[in-house]
Amino acid sequence: MATIASQVVLHPTVSQGLKYGGTTLGRDKAYRAIQYFARFYAWFLLSRGEKESAARWNALKTHLATARKLLRLGKPLEHLQAALKAALASGPAGEQITTIGRQIGYFGYLSFDALVWVNAVKFYSFSPETSNKISKLANRFWLAGIVLSILNGALKNVRLAKEERLLKRSMAIPEKAVGQEAAEETRLSTVLASRDATRQQLVIDLLDLWIPATALGISSMNDGVLGIFGFVFLTLSCQPHSRSFSQCDHIGDCGSEAMAIC
C-alpha cells in the first residue's frame, strides 16, 4: 500500500502539476479553466431548469473571477515594460507597432480590471454608472489588445512562411559547404517552431476575442459557448507552460522565460 501511495504522490505528472501550480501564472490559468467550465456548466444547468445547482456554479465562477483579479494586480507594469522593450527593439515595422499596441491594450485592460476588483471587494465603492464605465473600458482595452495580437500573428505568419520558402529553396541548391547546410537546417527548424507557435496563438486569440466582444454587446454568444471557448483557450495556452516545467528537474532550474509564458 505504501509503495502504491508513493508511486501516486511522487508520479512525474503530480510533480509537474505542483511546479505549475507553484507559479502565479500557473494558478491563474488553473483558476480560469475552472471559472470558464463553471460558466458553461451553470448555463447548462439553467437550460435544464436546475436553478439551485446553477446558482452554486455561478457563485464559484464569480468568486474565481474576483480572486484572479487579485492575482493580476502587478501585471499592468509587466505589459508596460514589454511595450517599452518592443519600442526599443528592432524588427519589421508592422510587427513592432502591433506588439507595442497589444501590450498597451493589455496594460489598459488590467489597469481598469484592477479598479473593477477594488469595487468588487468594497475597498472603494464606485457608483453603478461609474462601475459600468470602468468595466466597459477594461473590455475595450482587452478587445483592442486581442485584435492587435491577431494582426501581429498574421503579419508574423506571413513573414515566417516567406522565410520558410526561401530557406527550402536555398537548401535545394546542391554543392554547398557542410557548415552552411547545417546552419540552414537549424534555421529552418527554428522558423517552423516559431510558425507553429504563432499559428497556435492565433487560434487562442480568435477564441478569446469573443469574450470581451460579447461583454461589450458586439456579439451575442451565450454563456455556454463562451465557457467552452474559454476552456479550450486555456487548454491550448497551458500546453507550452506545462512543457516548460517538464524539462526542469527543480523549480529553480526554470528560467524567467518559462515562468513568463502567457
Side-chain angles (χ1 to χ4, degrees):
M1 184 64 72
T3 304
I4 296 173
S6 64
Q7 286 178 346
V8 172
V9 174
L10 298 175
H11 194 276
T13 303
V14 176
S15 299
Q16 185 179 337
L18 289 172
K19 290 175 182 177
Y20 183 77
T23 65
T24 302
L25 179 62
R27 286 192 297 274
D28 180 57
K29 288 192 173 184
Y31 294 163
R32 191 179 181 190
I34 299 168
Q35 176 191 338
Y36 279 101
F37 176 78
R39 185 173 189 168
F40 160 75
Y41 198 54
W43 168 86
F44 174 74
L45 291 170
L46 272 175
S47 68
R48 297 180 62 181
E50 299 179 30
K51 294 182 180 179
E52 190 175 334
S53 297
R56 287 202 299 268
W57 286 91
N58 254 325
L60 175 63
K61 176 196 74 174
T62 302
H63 286 297
L64 283 173
T66 304
R68 288 182 57 240
K69 292 181 196 301
L70 175 60
L71 289 175
R72 298 196 303 257
L73 283 182
K75 291 288 286 182
L77 287 176
E78 290 183 25
H79 289 287
L80 198 59
Q81 280 189 345
L84 182 58
K85 288 176 182 177
L88 296 174
S90 59
E95 291 179 35
Q96 187 177 21
I97 291 168
T98 51
T99 297
I100 295 168
R102 175 185 64 190
Q103 298 297 347
I104 291 173
Y106 290 151
F107 166 76
Y109 158 56
L110 292 169
S111 296
F112 283 107
D113 199 50
L115 294 178
V116 173
W117 174 81
V118 167
N119 184 66
V121 299
K122 311 281 188 209
F123 184 76
Y124 184 89
S125 294
F126 296 103
S127 67
E129 188 177 321
T130 303
S131 179
N132 286 333
K133 284 182 180 179
I134 292 170
S135 184
K136 280 186 178 180
L137 280 170
N139 281 301
R140 283 172 184 165
F141 273 108
W142 187 10
L143 182 62
I146 295 171
V147 169
L148 286 165
S149 183
I150 290 170
L151 289 173
N152 178 268
L155 291 170
K156 192 174 180 180
N157 195 57
V158 170
R159 174 176 62 80
L160 291 171
K162 183 178 179 182
E163 191 171 348
E164 179 190 351
R165 286 195 301 271
L166 291 173
L167 280 168
K168 286 182 175 178
R169 196 177 301 162
S170 176
M171 290 170 69
I173 299 172
E175 298 179 2
K176 286 189 295 185
V178 177
Q180 184 182 350
E181 188 174 345
E184 287 178 346
E185 287 178 357
T186 302
R187 178 58 188 162
L188 180 61
S189 64
T190 303
V191 168
L192 291 175
S194 183
R195 183 204 61 186
D196 291 343
T198 301
R199 289 178 179 177
Q200 185 185 40
Q201 186 59 46
L202 271 172
V203 173
I204 290 170
D205 288 334
L206 288 168
L207 289 173
D208 210 23
L209 175 74
W210 300 103
I211 298 169
T214 301
L216 290 168
I218 298 171
S219 72
S220 55
M221 291 189 177
N222 61 46
D223 276 359
V225 175
L226 292 177
I228 290 294
F229 277 8
F231 190 77
V232 172
F233 157 78
L234 261 296
T235 303
L236 290 172
S237 65
C238 283
Q239 287 174 3
H241 193 135
S242 298
R243 283 197 297 267
S244 70
F245 285 119
S246 67
Q247 297 168 356
C248 306
D249 293 326
H250 303 285
I251 192 69
D253 296 338
C254 297
S256 57
E257 185 177 346
M259 298 292 189
I261 298 171
C262 58

